[in-house]
Amino acid sequence: MPEEKAQGAGREAQGKEEGARDKGVGKDGGENPVPLSASPLEPSSLAPCALRPAPCRIGVFICHCGSNIGGIVDVPAVVEYASRLKDVVHAERNLYTCADDGLTAIKTAISKHGLNRVLVASCTPRTHAPLFRRTCEAAGLNQYLFEFVNLREHCSWVHMREPARATEKAKALVKMGVARARLLERQEEPVLDIEPAAMVLGGGVAGLSAALSIANQGFPVHLVEREPELGGMAARLHRISPTYRNAREVVGPVAEAVSAHPDIRLHMPATMTDLSGYIGNFEVTLSTGEKFRVGSIVVATGADELRPDGLYGWGQLKNVVTQMELERLMAAGPFTRPKSVVMIQCAGSRGQKVSYCSKRCCFTAIKNAILLKEESPDTEVHILHNEIHVYGVAFEKEYRRAQELGVRFSRYSPEKPSVSEQNGRLNVNFYDEGLRRERDLPADLVVLSTPLVARPEAEELSKMLKVPLGQDRFFFEAHVKLRPVDFATDGIFICGTAKGPTNIGECVEQALGAASRAAIPLAKGRVRVEAITSRVNTDTCRGCGRCESECDYHAISLVPVNDAFGNRLVARVNEGLCKGCGKCSSICCNRSISLRHFTTPQIMAMVEAALEEG
Amino acid sequence: MEAESPSGVAGKAAPGFEPKIVAFCCNWCSYAGADLTGVSRMQYSPNIRIIRVMCSGRIEPNFVLRALELGADGVLVAGCHIGDCHYISGNKEAEKQIARTARLLEILGVDKRRLRLEWISASEGQKFANTVNAFTKEVRELGPAGYGRK
């Protein structure tokens, strides 16, 4: 088996490397020769001290990532190269460094070789750094003494046709990583107290579910809704797919439970007008003038249905409506059943007004077609689509059921259909992919399946919360797969259609996810935050205030000190507010402020290593 | 086993000039954009060495000058699009810093085209590949910068 072979080769190479070092071969310059058989080091030698730094003992772990890296980059050659770099006392390769045996290899090497720096060269730090950092901590090595080199996304995957140059680049990247690793310093993460309360923005089905869940976990919740009533978009629907229960029967009890909950305080109609602070200590001001403090925030502000202005005669021709308008019509009670209904899918989405698929419109159309058919079997219902997206167990059944009830599905392409009025009746013209010809369908009612779009207020809210919006102006989560309800900003979470189109069930799933994420810091009472913050050298700071005025987070203030240099002002960083961008350290006139973990010497060392020959 | 195969084959390509390019990428947009380039298997020239910083606003003129002094033929700075900065306005600071650095390069008689600032979002993998390829090509045509210490 190729994998076993690679592992076997790995072990063999590892044995050879250790043998080489024992003989004193392969260490450049031979300065600080450290015998590998040295007795276990005292704990103090694991932590470099500022006055007398312990010698660097770097361990390098190079990942094959199966054949992802190993298939392009000559990993054994990179390991051999790394083992000759200054201060590298151990270098090995792993089939998968992130797998259990890889992580065990790191832990073992830390104790066996007395490593005080660990470098993993594998994939991207954006997904895997937390895993390796935890592994280092578990083995007693401060997580800030870990360095990550990206050999997959930034090397093997992008130079697949140039293995020799990819290997050369991999060596350079490892050398740059080793250069930075030497200068890494241990950091202690600040611990902050948490205000044990949460705020939920939005009283739709997502916001209600999140508020209820947090409150049921025992934490007070401030629920802020901009409309005078709860329920959001879901409450305006008719029946909910796939159970066909009345929307009010589904949403109503949740809204009532929220209203009656002793730990939920409703603020409505109200909006947030100001926010300051950070995880654990957000200070909120509402349009009503109320102010309160919360430890975490859930954003569930929902989305709007696209107004299809100028599309398919909507707003100009009578009896052209959106699915939402049809639902309101059906919810209002029996209306004159039209003889022929044509629904147009992807109306305004997938390249028309927005680029994305709104995900729920296929279910909605099928649901409403079934309702129309069941109440009035003689009504002809025709769904014109580009392709039907009904994923999952329940919805596929509904698609079948619609077909059995006689709903017709026709695929249009490549152009979207057009709607006109002919002799007092609507006519839908489209190219039928199945029949391979142009067709005209007369209709009494044309229903447009329009997408959900981001609310315009999201823009202002994102600035207030200091969280990003994506290209389609929906809120943008920290990681699409691994952190789906987190924002990159600590203590703020996202759920529901504010993040992008979803159906009600998924909204609730996300809401419960966001609620449990938001409750974690509240339950802990204290939170550790990243130690990547700025620090001031008060001996050299001249108190010019440039960093204070440039900091977007108001994390820096000038404070008076009276010391050996006299009575003067110096900059002080509030670590709770500092987000670690490092802007202050790049603009400081005399380098008195520096960003931890991204110091100028660390970055310069990488520049130097990148350009050094050999 | 594929992992074993490419050791030492081919050696250096044509004897032509291969520029050395140092890139500074912000963690949230352009570094993530470069990750997407990889995930999408888009190919680009291997002349580039990426250094990750949390924000493009962290990049000092000195980083650029030092890179050129040590023999870089081009320096690429990449950050989030204006308005998309994870740190609100760090990229606006980067814009100012890079403009200042470009003026410094002019005074020093260095071709300004050796320094390039680009906004590349986390979803613009293709743009990252295109940028690197275009910049590598441009720097290759400019020839060696020749400021490297001998």
Side-chain angles (χ1 to χ4, degrees):
Chain A
M1 292 297 286
E3 291 182 0
E4 284 163 17
K5 188 177 166 194
Q7 276 172 333
R11 279 191 292 271
E12 193 187 319
Q14 196 178 321
K16 277 185 195 155
E17 285 149 27
E18 285 168 10
R21 262 194 311 276
D22 283 340
K23 285 177 217 135
V25 184
K27 287 284 291 160
D28 83 353
E31 35 177 272
N32 297 332
V34 191
L36 269 173
S37 53
S39 58
L41 295 154
E42 298 95 6
S44 63
S45 66
L46 290 174
C49 147
L51 294 175
R52 191 178 50 79
C56 270
R57 298 180 61 83
I58 305 174
V60 176
F61 301 82
I62 301 185
C63 181
H64 279 260
C65 194
S67 64
N68 283 300
I69 296 171
I72 313 288
V73 169
D74 183 352
V75 175
V78 180
V79 171
E80 195 275 329
Y81 175 82
S83 70
R84 285 188 284 113
L85 292 171
K86 183 167 174 273
D87 296 331
V88 173
V89 297
H90 174 74
E92 68 173 89
R93 60 204 173 106
N94 319 98
L95 187 60
Y96 291 101
T97 311
C98 64
D100 266 353
D101 52 350
L103 300 178
T104 309
I106 295 176
K107 288 186 203 159
T108 311
I110 288 174
S111 61
K112 185 174 169 199
H113 303 292
L115 303 180
N116 55 20
R117 301 287 189 288
V118 166
L119 181 147
V120 172
S122 57
C123 46
T124 171
R126 290 177 47 87
T127 56
H128 280 65
L131 175 70
F132 294 123
R133 283 169 64 164
R134 276 199 305 275
T135 305
C136 291
E137 285 271 320
L141 183 70
N142 183 277
Q143 56 174 316
Y144 289 86
L145 298 173
F146 166 75
E147 171 69 1
F148 211 127
V149 171
N150 188 334
L151 290 191
R152 193 178 68 178
E153 280 83 345
H154 291 190
C155 191
S156 65
W157 275 352
V158 290
H159 311 309
M160 298 176 92
R161 292 188 289 269
E162 299 173 273
R165 293 191 68 198
T167 301
E168 184 194 330
K169 176 172 170 178
K171 288 179 184 173
L173 294 177
V174 169
K175 179 161 71 169
M176 289 159 69
V178 167
R180 176 163 183 257
R182 273 189 210 113
L183 300 175
L184 289 176
E185 297 164 46
R186 64 178 289 126
Q187 308 290 350
E188 296 308 329
E189 298 192 323
V191 176
L192 306 174
D193 284 330
I194 299 282
E195 175 74 28
M199 171 172 71
V200 175
L201 292 173
V205 70
L208 291 173
S209 311
L212 202 55
S213 166
I214 298 171
N216 283 341
Q217 292 175 66
F219 302 106
V221 178
H222 295 271
L223 179 62
V224 183
E225 166 58 49
R226 131 195 122 124
E227 303 291 332
E229 61 184 284
L230 296 173
M233 186 180 278
R236 296 197 295 274
L237 299 175
H238 175 41
R239 284 178 188 277
I240 293 174
S241 175
T243 57
Y244 296 88
R245 283 182 62 198
N246 191 311
R248 285 175 190 282
E249 284 171 26
V250 176
V251 183
V254 187
E256 277 160 31
V258 165
S259 308
H261 203 293
D263 284 334
I264 300 179
R265 193 145 160 237
L266 291 179
H267 304 270
M268 87 186 166
T271 51
M272 184 171 72
T273 53
D274 191 42
L275 179 76
S276 61
Y278 43 87
I279 181 171
N281 295 282
F282 292 107
E283 309 254 352
V284 184
T285 309
L286 300 184
S287 54
T288 53
E290 286 167 285
K291 286 176 192 279
F292 49 83
R293 256 158 52 98
V294 293
S296 57
I297 297 174
V298 174
V299 179
T301 47
D304 285 332
E305 190 188 35
L306 175 85
R307 266 175 65 97
D309 286 314
L311 295 179
Y312 310 99
W314 184 85
Q316 287 143 23
L317 301 176
K318 222 181 138 198
N319 294 332
V320 177
V321 297
T322 64
Q323 291 286 0
M324 199 73 165
E325 289 167 333
L326 173 66
E327 301 228 358
R328 257 169 261 159
L329 218 55
M330 293 197 287
F335 68 107
T336 324
R337 296 297 168 198
K339 272 203 191 128
S340 159
V341 178
V342 175
M343 296 185 178
I344 301 175
Q345 298 307 101
C346 306
S349 60
R350 300 181 71 204
Q352 206 162 23
K353 287 214 169 178
V354 300
S355 59
Y356 51 87
C357 161
S358 185
K359 199 172 160 185
R360 46 138 226 169
C361 336
C362 286
F363 313 133
T364 307
I366 287 171
K367 169 191 76 176
N368 288 336
I370 288 175
L371 288 170
L372 283 169
K373 255 328 210 189
E374 282 182 339
E375 288 173 29
S376 153
D378 294 336
T379 297
E380 291 234 326
V381 184
H382 218 121
I383 296 181
L384 307 186
H385 63 92
N386 203 260
E387 55 216 342
I388 291 284
H389 289 182
V390 278
Y391 53 88
V393 179
F395 295 115
E396 181 70 25
K397 274 188 199 144
E398 291 305 300
Y399 183 25
R400 295 262 172 84
R401 197 154 79 86
Q403 288 170 325
E404 283 158 13
L405 284 168
V407 177
R408 302 222 176 111
F409 290 83
S410 300
R411 181 167 174 164
Y412 66 77
S413 83
E415 303 286 310
K416 302 245 179 189
S418 65
V419 181
S420 58
E421 199 173 44
Q422 284 173 11
N423 312 321
R425 210 172 172 203
L426 292 171
N427 182 68
V428 183
N429 175 277
F430 70 106
Y431 182 83
D432 189 320
E433 271 271 284
L435 300 177
R436 301 202 170 206
R437 64 177 170 85
E438 211 172 297
R439 287 177 71 188
D440 286 294
L441 290 177
D444 303 310
L445 183 67
V446 169
V447 186
L448 307 179
S449 296
T450 50
L452 292 182
V453 290
R455 296 197 118 129
E457 308 90 274
E459 207 78 40
E460 203 194 327
L461 194 54
S462 81
K463 291 198 181 107
M464 229 184 281
L465 293 162
K466 301 185 184 89
V467 298
L469 297 177
Q471 283 187 324
D472 295 307
R473 313 324 280 161
F474 287 107
F475 285 100
F476 198 51
E477 67 278 70
H479 189 285
V480 63
K481 288 190 165 60
L482 302 174
R483 292 175 65 195
V485 296
D486 296 7
F487 277 117
T489 304
D490 292 334
I492 309 185
F493 304 87
I494 172 76
C495 61
T497 53
K499 192 169 83 113
T502 44
N503 64 44
I504 291 175
E506 289 166 348
C507 272
V508 175
E509 284 169 13
Q510 291 180 10
L512 297 178
S516 60
R517 299 283 293 151
I520 291 172
L522 308 184
K524 278 187 168 167
R526 309 184 108 197
V527 69
R528 292 212 307 176
V529 294
E530 279 268 9
I532 305 177
T533 51
S534 289
R535 77 180 142 204
V536 177
N537 179 347
T538 49
D539 286 353
T540 56
C541 176
R542 300 181 302 188
C544 71
R546 193 166 175 212
C547 51
E548 182 191 36
S549 61
E550 286 288 336
C551 178
D552 285 321
Y553 298 96
H554 309 297
I556 306 176
S557 48
L558 291 184
V559 293
V561 290
N562 190 1
D563 58 13
F565 301 102
N567 222 337
R568 61 201 182 106
L569 289 172
V570 294
R572 179 188 286 165
V573 177
N574 178 332
E575 289 182 359
L577 287 172
C578 179
K579 294 280 171 290
C581 64
K583 191 193 199 180
C584 51
S585 57
S586 69
I587 59 169
C588 180
C589 305
N590 66 344
R591 301 188 177 214
S592 294
I593 191 160
S594 130
L595 181 65
R596 290 185 176 91
H597 210 54
F598 287 90
T599 64
T600 299
Q602 286 166 0
I603 296 171
M604 284 298 198
M606 292 183 84
V607 171
E608 284 160 16
L611 296 163
E612 196 182 70
E613 294 292 342
Chain B
M1 172 71 192
E2 274 185 313
E4 307 290 328
S5 63
S7 60
V9 282
K12 284 214 169 154
F17 160 63
E18 284 301 341
K20 289 182 180 176
I21 294 172
V22 173
F24 296 95
C25 291
C26 79
N27 181 61
W28 303 97
C29 290
S30 49
Y31 191 93
D35 281 354
L36 181 62
T37 313
V39 172
S40 320
R41 310 294 198 279
M42 294 160 186
Q43 304 295 299
Y44 58 79
S45 317
N47 303 58
I48 191 166
R49 306 286 181 259
I50 295 174
I51 295 175
R52 183 173 69 105
V53 287
M54 294 310 282
C55 178
S56 54
R58 171 70 188 91
I59 296 154
E60 300 172 16
N62 213 21
F63 297 168
V64 176
L65 298 178
R66 182 77 173 140
L68 289 166
E69 181 193 20
L70 291 175
D73 302 299
V75 177
L76 174 67
V77 173
C80 310
H81 286 269
I82 294 294
D84 284 353
C85 179
H86 181 82
Y87 300 104
I88 305 172
S89 76
N91 50 3
K92 289 187 188 154
E93 186 58 39
E95 201 171 30
K96 284 192 238 162
Q97 292 274 42
I98 296 306
R100 279 179 210 130
T101 315
R103 284 202 298 277
L104 266 175
L105 293 186
E106 241 174 334
I107 294 166
L108 294 167
V110 177
D111 195 318
K112 274 198 298 189
R113 287 173 292 178
R114 295 193 185 276
L115 172 60
R116 186 182 283 201
L117 175 65
E118 291 280 350
W119 307 135
I120 300 170
S121 81
S123 58
E124 292 177 325
Q126 186 67 61
K127 184 175 181 188
F128 187 88
N130 293 348
T131 301
V132 173
N133 284 331
F135 188 50
T136 310
K137 183 168 177 275
E138 185 175 16
V139 173
R140 184 176 282 130
E141 280 161 11
L142 287 173
Y147 305 108
R149 284 184 186 161
K150 293 289 175 295

